[in-house]
Every structure is written in structure tokens, then in C-alpha cells.
Amino acid sequence: MSSLSTATEPIVPIYLVTCFLLLSFIGIIGNLTIVIVTLRSKPLHTRCCRLIGIMAFFNFIVCVYVAQLRIMMLFGVYNIFNTTCFYLSIYGIFAMNMQSVLGLFIGLDRWYNVSFPVRYSKIPLMSYIIGFSICVIASLFVTFSKYIFLAEEIIITVCIPVTAFYQTSLRIWLCFNFVIAVIVIFVYGWTHIKCRMLRNSNLHIKTAESVNRILKSLIVVIAFYVSTWFLAMASLFVSEVLNLQGDPVYYIRRWSGWLVICNSSLHVFIYFWRTPDYR
């Protein structure tokens, strides 16, 4: 049996594929713009903005990956081995893992900046290199867990991230991203509380205005994160834990796909809206 076959009738409706492609192209252009602006604008050469630029690069890769999967659907590429799907998805899954852990990295960076502003200015560059290296190692481990925990090869109808994995490796991937998403919410929430405390205790007008801007940006970031990436990972994780089958899994995976691509492609509008330097 061939590991790659085509279907005569589209399994995924064309209009859904087209909408995904549109969001992917918006994300490709938007995230690439963030990367270019970060490289060329000196005011954005701060630690946090560089981390945002790196995360935008991985979001760019995720958008390319999502576009690739939808182009495969347009050409009727269905019913392939899960191993084949995994080979076609390695770079995209790794990028998804990286943008997930970088979200936590940026959250911790913001928390430390607000909590210990003097110490923050003295953090050595090596600390960031080590932190980034840990992100890469963790993402690689989760990405290639499929080979660590071997499973049988099966035919899958549609190639998406949750079908590229199987059994133990799928649970590891979902658990990894779900736990990180929960931690990110706690980190951003605590940073939000620290900003409120700092704003209420500081009498200096300029400092209070600066903290207030950070506070408003955090509200937007947390709300967007919870309504997209966290909700997607939480629903997929719960469906796997409850071992749901049939239509519920189908609809959960479909809507989770929408949330994932929105998270990767629409972040750019938040940066342009909240930060004048990106404009």
C-alpha cells in the first residue's frame, strides 16, 4: 500500500480550507513584518522585544506549516500514514512548541522586570542564551517523542498535528503545551497584580503612566492568549484524557485548529495596536 494517496472528494470543505489559508497568509506577512521591524528598529533592540521578534519568527513558521497542510487538502492529499504526516510536520510542530515555551519565557521576563527592575537591568546575556537553549531542548524532546515512545503505524484521514502523533507521544505533546499554557496564565496574572500594586503605590506621574500602559497591554495579551492558544490546548487535552471518540473529537479538533492559527497569525495586530514602535 502506498504511504500517500489522494481522495477524489474533498474531506474538508473547500471554504474551510480557504479561510485557513487566508489566516495563514495574514500571519506569514504579519509575523515576517514583526521580525523585520525588530531587526531594523533600534528602539526595539531591548530584551523583551527581541524575544517577541524570535517568537514572531516561530509563529511565521507555524503559519507556513498550516498553509502547507491546507494546500495538501486542496490537492486532495488524504488517507496517509501517520509517520508520513509526522515527517511533513516536524518543522511545524517544533515551531508550535517553541512559540509555546517562548510565551512562558516572555511572561517570566515581564514578571521579573516589573518585580525587580534594578536586578533586571543587570541580567547577563548568558542567562538568556541558557534559557533559550532550554526552550529548544524541551521543544525538540517533545517533537521527537514519537520516536522515543514507538507506536504502530496507522492510516490517518487528515494530516494535522494531533494526527501526526499517536498514543503516548500525543499525550506528551498535549500535556506539555497544556501545562505551559496554565503556567503562562499564572505568570501573566501575577505580573498583572504586581503592576496594579506598583501603580497604586507609586506617586511619580510618569512612572504611573508607564506602568498603566504595561497593565493595559497585559490585559489584552492575557485575554487573547486565553481565548486562543489556552482554550485550544485545554480542549484537546481534556478530549484526550476523557478518550472521546467520534463527532465530539472531530469538532474539538476543528475549532482548536481555528484557535491555534488565530493565535499564531493575529498577534501582530496586538503589537501594532499597543506598541507605537512597531508602527
Short mmCIF file of all heavy atoms in Angstrom, two decimals, residues 107-143:
data_model
loop_
_atom_site.label_atom_id
_atom_site.label_comp_id
_atom_site.label_asym_id
_atom_site.label_seq_id
_atom_site.Cartn_x
_atom_site.Cartn_y
_atom_site.Cartn_z
N GLY A 107 6.74 35.87 29.40
CA GLY A 107 5.96 36.15 30.60
C GLY A 107 6.85 36.27 31.83
O GLY A 107 6.68 37.18 32.65
N LEU A 108 7.81 35.35 31.97
CA LEU A 108 8.75 35.41 33.10
C LEU A 108 9.63 36.66 33.01
O LEU A 108 9.96 37.27 34.03
CB LEU A 108 9.62 34.15 33.11
CG LEU A 108 8.90 32.85 33.48
CD1 LEU A 108 9.82 31.65 33.26
CD2 LEU A 108 8.41 32.89 34.92
N ASP A 109 10.01 37.01 31.80
CA ASP A 109 10.81 38.22 31.59
C ASP A 109 10.06 39.46 32.05
O ASP A 109 10.61 40.33 32.73
CB ASP A 109 11.19 38.34 30.11
CG ASP A 109 12.04 39.56 29.83
OD1 ASP A 109 13.27 39.50 30.03
OD2 ASP A 109 11.48 40.60 29.40
N ARG A 110 8.77 39.55 31.68
CA ARG A 110 7.95 40.70 32.08
C ARG A 110 7.74 40.71 33.59
O ARG A 110 7.76 41.76 34.22
CB ARG A 110 6.59 40.64 31.37
CG ARG A 110 6.63 40.82 29.87
CD ARG A 110 7.12 42.19 29.46
NE ARG A 110 8.58 42.27 29.52
CZ ARG A 110 9.28 43.40 29.63
NH1 ARG A 110 8.64 44.54 29.76
NH2 ARG A 110 10.59 43.38 29.63
N TRP A 111 7.50 39.52 34.17
CA TRP A 111 7.29 39.44 35.62
C TRP A 111 8.53 39.91 36.36
O TRP A 111 8.43 40.69 37.33
CB TRP A 111 6.96 38.00 36.01
CG TRP A 111 7.02 37.77 37.49
CD1 TRP A 111 6.08 38.12 38.41
CD2 TRP A 111 8.11 37.20 38.22
NE1 TRP A 111 6.50 37.79 39.68
CE2 TRP A 111 7.75 37.22 39.59
CE3 TRP A 111 9.34 36.67 37.86
CZ2 TRP A 111 8.58 36.73 40.59
CZ3 TRP A 111 10.18 36.16 38.85
CH2 TRP A 111 9.80 36.20 40.20
N TYR A 112 9.71 39.46 35.94
CA TYR A 112 10.94 39.84 36.62
C TYR A 112 11.23 41.33 36.44
O TYR A 112 11.71 41.99 37.38
CB TYR A 112 12.11 39.01 36.07
CG TYR A 112 13.31 38.98 36.99
CD1 TYR A 112 13.37 38.08 38.05
CD2 TYR A 112 14.39 39.85 36.81
CE1 TYR A 112 14.46 38.04 38.91
CE2 TYR A 112 15.48 39.83 37.66
CZ TYR A 112 15.51 38.92 38.70
OH TYR A 112 16.59 38.90 39.55
N ASN A 113 10.90 41.86 35.28
CA ASN A 113 11.12 43.29 35.02
C ASN A 113 10.26 44.14 35.94
O ASN A 113 10.73 45.15 36.48
CB ASN A 113 10.79 43.60 33.56
CG ASN A 113 11.06 45.05 33.20
OD1 ASN A 113 11.90 45.71 33.81
ND2 ASN A 113 10.35 45.55 32.22
N VAL A 114 9.01 43.74 36.14
CA VAL A 114 8.10 44.50 37.00
C VAL A 114 8.44 44.30 38.47
O VAL A 114 8.39 45.25 39.27
CB VAL A 114 6.64 44.09 36.71
CG1 VAL A 114 5.70 44.71 37.74
CG2 VAL A 114 6.24 44.48 35.30
N SER A 115 8.83 43.08 38.84
CA SER A 115 9.06 42.76 40.25
C SER A 115 10.42 43.25 40.75
O SER A 115 10.54 43.72 41.88
CB SER A 115 8.95 41.24 40.47
OG SER A 115 7.69 40.77 40.08
N PHE A 116 11.44 43.14 39.91
CA PHE A 116 12.81 43.50 40.32
C PHE A 116 13.48 44.33 39.22
O PHE A 116 14.38 43.85 38.52
CB PHE A 116 13.64 42.25 40.60
CG PHE A 116 12.97 41.26 41.51
CD1 PHE A 116 12.35 40.12 40.99
CD2 PHE A 116 12.96 41.46 42.88
CE1 PHE A 116 11.73 39.21 41.82
CE2 PHE A 116 12.34 40.55 43.73
CZ PHE A 116 11.73 39.42 43.19
N PRO A 117 13.04 45.57 39.02
CA PRO A 117 13.55 46.39 37.91
C PRO A 117 15.06 46.65 37.97
O PRO A 117 15.71 46.69 36.93
CB PRO A 117 12.77 47.71 38.06
CG PRO A 117 12.26 47.71 39.46
CD PRO A 117 12.04 46.30 39.83
N VAL A 118 15.63 46.78 39.15
CA VAL A 118 17.07 47.03 39.26
C VAL A 118 17.86 45.78 38.88
O VAL A 118 18.80 45.83 38.10
CB VAL A 118 17.44 47.48 40.69
CG1 VAL A 118 18.95 47.66 40.80
CG2 VAL A 118 16.71 48.79 41.04
N ARG A 119 17.47 44.64 39.44
CA ARG A 119 18.14 43.38 39.12
C ARG A 119 17.96 43.02 37.65
O ARG A 119 18.86 42.46 37.02
CB ARG A 119 17.59 42.25 39.98
CG ARG A 119 17.85 42.40 41.47
CD ARG A 119 17.28 41.19 42.20
NE ARG A 119 17.31 41.37 43.65
CZ ARG A 119 16.80 40.50 44.51
NH1 ARG A 119 16.21 39.39 44.06
NH2 ARG A 119 16.86 40.73 45.81
N TYR A 120 16.80 43.36 37.10
CA TYR A 120 16.50 43.02 35.70
C TYR A 120 17.51 43.66 34.75
O TYR A 120 17.94 43.02 33.78
CB TYR A 120 15.08 43.48 35.34
CG TYR A 120 14.71 43.23 33.90
CD1 TYR A 120 14.30 41.96 33.48
CD2 TYR A 120 14.76 44.26 32.96
CE1 TYR A 120 13.94 41.73 32.17
CE2 TYR A 120 14.42 44.03 31.65
CZ TYR A 120 14.01 42.76 31.25
OH TYR A 120 13.66 42.54 29.93
N SER A 121 17.88 44.89 35.04
CA SER A 121 18.82 45.60 34.15
C SER A 121 20.22 45.00 34.19
O SER A 121 21.04 45.28 33.31
CB SER A 121 18.89 47.08 34.55
OG SER A 121 19.36 47.22 35.89
N LYS A 122 20.49 44.16 35.19
CA LYS A 122 21.82 43.58 35.33
C LYS A 122 21.88 42.10 34.93
O LYS A 122 22.91 41.45 35.13
CB LYS A 122 22.29 43.74 36.78
CG LYS A 122 22.41 45.19 37.24
CD LYS A 122 22.82 45.28 38.69
CE LYS A 122 22.92 46.74 39.15
NZ LYS A 122 23.30 46.86 40.59
N ILE A 123 20.79 41.57 34.39
CA ILE A 123 20.80 40.17 33.98
C ILE A 123 21.79 39.98 32.84
O ILE A 123 21.71 40.68 31.81
CB ILE A 123 19.39 39.72 33.52
CG1 ILE A 123 18.40 39.80 34.67
CG2 ILE A 123 19.44 38.28 32.98
CD1 ILE A 123 16.99 39.44 34.28
N PRO A 124 22.73 39.05 32.94
CA PRO A 124 23.72 38.83 31.87
C PRO A 124 23.08 38.18 30.65
O PRO A 124 22.09 37.46 30.75
CB PRO A 124 24.75 37.91 32.52
CG PRO A 124 24.00 37.20 33.60
CD PRO A 124 22.98 38.18 34.10
N LEU A 125 23.67 38.44 29.49
CA LEU A 125 23.17 37.86 28.24
C LEU A 125 23.19 36.34 28.28
O LEU A 125 22.31 35.68 27.71
CB LEU A 125 24.03 38.37 27.07
CG LEU A 125 23.68 37.81 25.68
CD1 LEU A 125 22.26 38.17 25.29
CD2 LEU A 125 24.69 38.33 24.65
N MET A 126 24.18 35.76 28.98
CA MET A 126 24.30 34.31 29.06
C MET A 126 23.05 33.66 29.65
O MET A 126 22.68 32.53 29.28
CB MET A 126 25.54 33.93 29.87
CG MET A 126 25.82 32.43 29.95
SD MET A 126 25.95 31.64 28.31
CE MET A 126 27.41 32.49 27.68
N SER A 127 22.38 34.36 30.57
CA SER A 127 21.16 33.82 31.17
C SER A 127 20.08 33.62 30.11
O SER A 127 19.34 32.63 30.13
CB SER A 127 20.65 34.76 32.27
OG SER A 127 21.60 34.87 33.31
N TYR A 128 19.99 34.57 29.18
CA TYR A 128 19.01 34.45 28.10
C TYR A 128 19.40 33.34 27.13
O TYR A 128 18.52 32.62 26.62
CB TYR A 128 18.89 35.78 27.35
CG TYR A 128 18.06 36.80 28.10
CD1 TYR A 128 18.64 37.62 29.07
CD2 TYR A 128 16.70 36.94 27.85
CE1 TYR A 128 17.89 38.55 29.77
CE2 TYR A 128 15.94 37.86 28.55
CZ TYR A 128 16.55 38.67 29.50
OH TYR A 128 15.79 39.58 30.19
N ILE A 129 20.69 33.19 26.86
CA ILE A 129 21.14 32.13 25.97
C ILE A 129 20.83 30.76 26.57
O ILE A 129 20.36 29.85 25.88
CB ILE A 129 22.66 32.27 25.70
CG1 ILE A 129 22.93 33.56 24.93
CG2 ILE A 129 23.18 31.05 24.93
CD1 ILE A 129 24.40 33.85 24.71
N ILE A 130 21.08 30.63 27.88
CA ILE A 130 20.78 29.36 28.57
C ILE A 130 19.27 29.10 28.55
O ILE A 130 18.82 27.98 28.28
CB ILE A 130 21.30 29.39 30.02
CG1 ILE A 130 22.83 29.43 30.02
CG2 ILE A 130 20.80 28.17 30.79
CD1 ILE A 130 23.44 29.63 31.40
N GLY A 131 18.49 30.14 28.86
CA GLY A 131 17.04 29.99 28.85
C GLY A 131 16.51 29.59 27.48
O GLY A 131 15.65 28.70 27.37
N PHE A 132 17.03 30.22 26.43
CA PHE A 132 16.60 29.89 25.07
C PHE A 132 17.01 28.46 24.71
O PHE A 132 16.25 27.73 24.06
CB PHE A 132 17.20 30.88 24.08
CG PHE A 132 16.75 30.65 22.66
CD1 PHE A 132 15.50 31.06 22.24
CD2 PHE A 132 17.59 30.03 21.75
CE1 PHE A 132 15.09 30.84 20.93
CE2 PHE A 132 17.19 29.81 20.44
CZ PHE A 132 15.93 30.23 20.03
N SER A 133 18.20 28.06 25.14
CA SER A 133 18.67 26.70 24.87
C SER A 133 17.76 25.66 25.53
O SER A 133 17.47 24.61 24.94
CB SER A 133 20.11 26.53 25.36
OG SER A 133 20.99 27.43 24.71
N ILE A 134 17.31 25.96 26.75
CA ILE A 134 16.38 25.05 27.44
C ILE A 134 15.07 24.94 26.66
O ILE A 134 14.51 23.84 26.53
CB ILE A 134 16.12 25.55 28.88
CG1 ILE A 134 17.40 25.43 29.71
CG2 ILE A 134 14.98 24.76 29.52
CD1 ILE A 134 17.29 26.05 31.10
N CYS A 135 14.60 26.07 26.12
CA CYS A 135 13.38 26.07 25.31
C CYS A 135 13.55 25.17 24.09
O CYS A 135 12.65 24.39 23.75
CB CYS A 135 13.03 27.49 24.87
SG CYS A 135 12.54 28.61 26.19
N VAL A 136 14.70 25.27 23.43
CA VAL A 136 14.95 24.48 22.23
C VAL A 136 15.01 22.99 22.57
O VAL A 136 14.41 22.15 21.88
CB VAL A 136 16.27 24.92 21.55
CG1 VAL A 136 16.64 23.96 20.43
CG2 VAL A 136 16.15 26.34 21.02
N ILE A 137 15.73 22.65 23.65
CA ILE A 137 15.88 21.24 24.04
C ILE A 137 14.52 20.63 24.40
O ILE A 137 14.19 19.51 23.99
CB ILE A 137 16.86 21.11 25.23
CG1 ILE A 137 18.28 21.49 24.77
CG2 ILE A 137 16.85 19.69 25.79
CD1 ILE A 137 19.27 21.60 25.91
N ALA A 138 13.73 21.37 25.19
CA ALA A 138 12.40 20.87 25.58
C ALA A 138 11.51 20.68 24.36
O ALA A 138 10.80 19.68 24.24
CB ALA A 138 11.76 21.85 26.57
N SER A 139 11.56 21.63 23.44
CA SER A 139 10.73 21.55 22.23
C SER A 139 11.15 20.38 21.35
O SER A 139 10.31 19.67 20.78
CB SER A 139 10.82 22.86 21.44
OG SER A 139 10.32 23.94 22.20
N LEU A 140 12.45 20.16 21.23
CA LEU A 140 12.95 19.03 20.44
C LEU A 140 12.54 17.69 21.06
O LEU A 140 12.14 16.76 20.35
CB LEU A 140 14.47 19.11 20.31
CG LEU A 140 15.03 20.16 19.36
CD1 LEU A 140 16.54 20.23 19.46
CD2 LEU A 140 14.62 19.85 17.91
N PHE A 141 12.65 17.61 22.39
CA PHE A 141 12.28 16.37 23.07
C PHE A 141 10.82 16.02 22.82
O PHE A 141 10.48 14.87 22.48
CB PHE A 141 12.53 16.49 24.57
CG PHE A 141 12.00 15.33 25.37
CD1 PHE A 141 12.71 14.14 25.44
CD2 PHE A 141 10.77 15.42 26.03
CE1 PHE A 141 12.21 13.05 26.15
CE2 PHE A 141 10.28 14.35 26.75
CZ PHE A 141 11.01 13.16 26.81
N VAL A 142 9.93 17.01 22.98
CA VAL A 142 8.51 16.76 22.79
C VAL A 142 8.21 16.45 21.32
O VAL A 142 7.40 15.57 21.01
CB VAL A 142 7.69 17.98 23.27
CG1 VAL A 142 6.21 17.79 22.94
CG2 VAL A 142 7.86 18.18 24.76
N THR A 143 8.88 17.15 20.41
CA THR A 143 8.65 16.92 18.98
C THR A 143 9.02 15.50 18.58
O THR A 143 8.28 14.83 17.85
CB THR A 143 9.47 17.92 18.14
OG1 THR A 143 9.09 19.26 18.48
CG2 THR A 143 9.21 17.70 16.65
#
